[in-house]
Amino acid sequence: MLSQLIYTSQAISGLTDACLQDIAVTAARFNSMVGISGLLVFDEGCFLQVLEGDDAAILPLYQHIKQDRRHRNVVKLIHEPIAKRRFAKWGMRLVAEGVDPGVDGEPTPVQPYGSASALENWRELFITDAFAHLTEDRVRTVLDAFTRGRWHQRTAAAPSAAPANGRPESGELFIPGCALSDEQRQGLPQQAPLFAFQPIVDFENGRISSYEALLRGPAGEPPHSVLNAFTGAALHRFDLHSKAAAMAIARQLGSEARLSLNLLPESLLVDDDAVDQLVRAGAACGFSPDRMVLEVTEEEAITDPERFAAAVNRVRAAGMRLAIDDFGAGYAGLSLLADFQPDKLKIDRCIVHNVHENGPRQAIVRAIVEFCYCLGISVVAEGVETAEEFHWLRSAGVHRIQGYLIARPQLCALPPVCWPG
Ligand code: C2E
Ligand code: MN
Ligand code: MN
């Protein structure tokens, strides 16, 4: 299938003109052999390349580029089927400072071209007839954004490379954990639900932002198997009342940190005084409202937006914090955010997964960081599993991190945080 793949990367430092020339010549030769056309743009230490051709040729080449030591931080922006090539007549050429991309005639690469920047070269190309067909093309917008510095500032801002052991070199963080003793476990009320706890770590300030309480069955079963035993108002009442058990366990664990509590939005509406019930349950075990963060998603349609808005106001008036959970997962989306600006926004793990090599996910995270900054909302990334994701997120300004990389949830225990571990 004919497709187009666009990636950006950062060149190793000190890439010489000769080396660049070599890349361009080899690329032109190899790509014409395997039927790949496109464009290689080099600007201030960063590459953007458009590859078009059969997937059977493009994908092995892309794998090869990812292994090539002259490229770092290779990030895929677009990979999709196309109906026809944009650069058919053109082969594969280089657009770079001091290089004549040559518009007509044979696809001969690299000739000295004064001192024009890649941007100027690019502009000159676009005003030629040879590129009239790209006027409303997505590839042109992406190239424009790159040469105007958007993608390339971003590529350069990414960490140059994860340290050899995959962990940051300095900035130690050690926060001990603690677990309920067998005696304390047995002392819990018979029918009370159990909770596992997982830290959300604030790496900017080197502290626990909060522990998230995650519902568990008697043998550690996952939340949905517990919640599925209920429907309608009974579900919402159980959800609401279970938070007292979460706070009671957290109190026994002796934590001074905040506690994040998951709630279905409707659980805040099940009784008129639902929010006050939470405040009272907290007070009973020494949890002031300012140590409570309520995490809601849009998983469940909010049936009565006016009552929900009133409940959110009560949450605020009581001094609790509000977080939108699983942002970007499909159900917790912009409409919730348009109506209720939370104190925290948790980026869903489907966006976090492999973010270090995925251009669209990076653009989404950058946009979230930007609007959250403007609205004074703190951003949390959840489901961080690898050091590469961690480093990329931190370089993009996300400092609150939750995920298996830092600590897995533990039943009736606050897991220790040891970073770098
Ligand atoms: P959530 O609020 O997004 O909680 C995070 C979930 O992601 C937890 O799953 C946690 O174990 C998991 N997780 C954390 N780090 C990682 C990671 O690095 N990789 C992966 N793959 N997973 C990670 P869990 O405990 O199974 O909870 C699932 C969902 O159940 C929660 O998602 C939350 O929406 C819901 N839930 C949990 N407790 C309650 C509760 O008391 N009430 C309600 N209504 N829902 C709850
Ligand atoms: Mn949650
Ligand atoms: Mn979540």
Side-chain angles (χ1 to χ4, degrees):
M1 184 169 43
L2 185 65
S3 58
Q4 179 188 64
L5 190 153
I6 306 182
Y7 72 84
T8 58
S9 70
Q10 200 182 349
I12 45 156
S13 51
L15 188 78
T16 59
D17 283 356
C19 191
L20 187 62
Q21 185 110 356
D22 179 54
I23 290 177
V25 174
T26 326
R29 213 176 279 146
F30 175 79
N31 290 320
S32 81
M33 249 160 50
V34 297
I36 297 176
S37 47
L39 195 67
L40 178 63
V41 188
F42 180 74
D43 194 26
E44 299 200 11
C46 296
F47 290 106
L48 179 142
Q49 189 167 24
V50 181
L51 301 168
E52 49 185 31
D54 202 275
D55 264 350
I58 285 185
L59 293 177
L61 174 62
Y62 181 61
Q63 285 313 318
H64 183 80
I65 290 163
K66 280 172 69 177
Q67 309 296 326
D68 187 333
R69 289 176 52 209
R70 293 170 298 187
H71 296 268
R72 288 190 312 206
N73 297 320
V74 181
V75 169
K76 195 194 285 173
L77 305 190
I78 295 177
H79 178 213
E80 61 193 18
I82 47 172
K84 60 176 199 297
R85 292 174 190 256
R86 270 62 166 176
F87 300 94
K89 285 184 272 175
W90 157 268
M92 172 65 67
R93 295 194 212 179
L94 177 72
V95 177
E97 186 171 336
V99 166
D100 178 4
V103 178
D104 303 308
E106 289 300 296
T108 48
V110 262
Q111 289 159 26
Y113 189 72
S115 61
S117 70
L119 176 60
E120 282 158 12
N121 284 354
W122 181 242
R123 294 247 168 80
E124 286 207 10
L125 273 182
F126 262 150
I127 50 174
T128 63
D129 287 347
F131 284 88
H133 64 290
L134 285 185
T135 307
E136 294 209 345
D137 203 281
R138 186 172 168 199
V139 81
R140 175 165 178 170
T141 319
V142 172
L143 284 161
D144 256 358
F146 178 76
T147 45
R148 279 172 207 277
R150 294 276 171 93
W151 276 110
H152 111 308
Q153 276 164 10
R154 273 137 211 213
T155 311
S160 50
N165 61 359
R167 307 278 170 154
E169 283 149 72
S170 58
E172 287 208 344
L173 184 63
F174 177 72
I175 297 155
C178 91
L180 289 193
S181 65
D182 288 348
E183 222 176 8
Q184 284 174 313
R185 274 283 287 273
Q186 277 151 16
L188 295 174
Q190 273 293 305
Q191 298 300 316
L194 296 179
F195 283 85
F197 297 87
Q198 186 183 30
I200 300 168
V201 179
D202 170 357
F203 279 92
E204 203 170 23
N205 300 302
R207 57 177 199 102
I208 300 283
S209 171
S210 69
Y211 288 98
E212 179 167 10
L214 298 157
L215 182 64
R216 293 291 183 263
E221 295 91 338
H224 289 293
S225 69
V226 182
L227 295 170
N228 284 347
F230 303 92
T231 52
L235 167 65
H236 299 122
R237 213 156 264 138
F238 169 81
D239 192 25
L240 184 68
H241 295 165
S242 70
K243 301 300 144 348
M247 289 188 280
I249 300 172
R251 195 239 325 233
Q252 292 213 48
L253 288 167
S255 161
E256 306 268 290
R258 290 199 182 104
L259 198 59
S260 293
L261 301 162
N262 293 284
L263 282 165
L264 295 164
E266 292 280 316
S267 304
L268 287 173
L269 308 182
V270 66
D271 291 321
D272 283 337
D273 67 342
V275 174
D276 305 318
Q277 289 181 37
L278 278 174
V279 175
R280 286 198 296 272
C285 45
F287 259 91
S288 55
D290 68 351
R291 281 179 58 204
M292 293 154 70
V293 184
L294 307 187
E295 297 196 357
V296 295
T297 66
E298 268 183 344
E299 186 169 5
E300 197 186 41
I302 297 169
T303 50
D304 189 340
E306 264 175 43
R307 279 190 68 218
F308 185 70
V312 167
N313 283 337
R314 275 204 293 282
V315 167
R316 287 264 157 74
M320 292 185 245
R321 289 180 169 74
L322 193 72
I324 289 187
D325 203 352
D326 301 346
F327 187 75
Y331 36 79
L334 289 170
S335 63
L336 193 55
L337 191 59
D339 294 334
F340 311 102
Q341 284 77 53
D343 304 280
K344 279 187 185 200
L345 185 149
K346 298 183 75 178
I347 304 178
D348 191 70
R349 63 170 175 274
C350 69
I351 296 176
V352 165
H353 183 67
N354 277 343
V355 67
H356 60 287
E357 53 181 26
N358 185 304
R361 287 178 203 168
Q362 293 184 357
I364 291 167
V365 172
R366 301 237 183 236
I368 293 174
V369 168
E370 175 69 19
F371 76 63
C372 284
Y373 178 66
C374 296
L375 293 172
I377 299 170
S378 10
V379 182
V380 179
E382 57 179 27
V384 178
E385 293 184 352
T386 68
E388 289 81 2
E389 292 163 352
F390 176 88
H391 290 298
W392 189 88
L393 288 160
R394 294 228 41 213
S395 78
V398 180
H399 302 298
R400 289 174 182 79
I401 307 277
Q402 177 180 23
Y404 293 170
L405 179 70
I406 311 300
R408 287 184 179 247
Q410 268 181 30
L411 187 64
C412 296
L414 305 178
V417 173
C418 184
W419 185 264

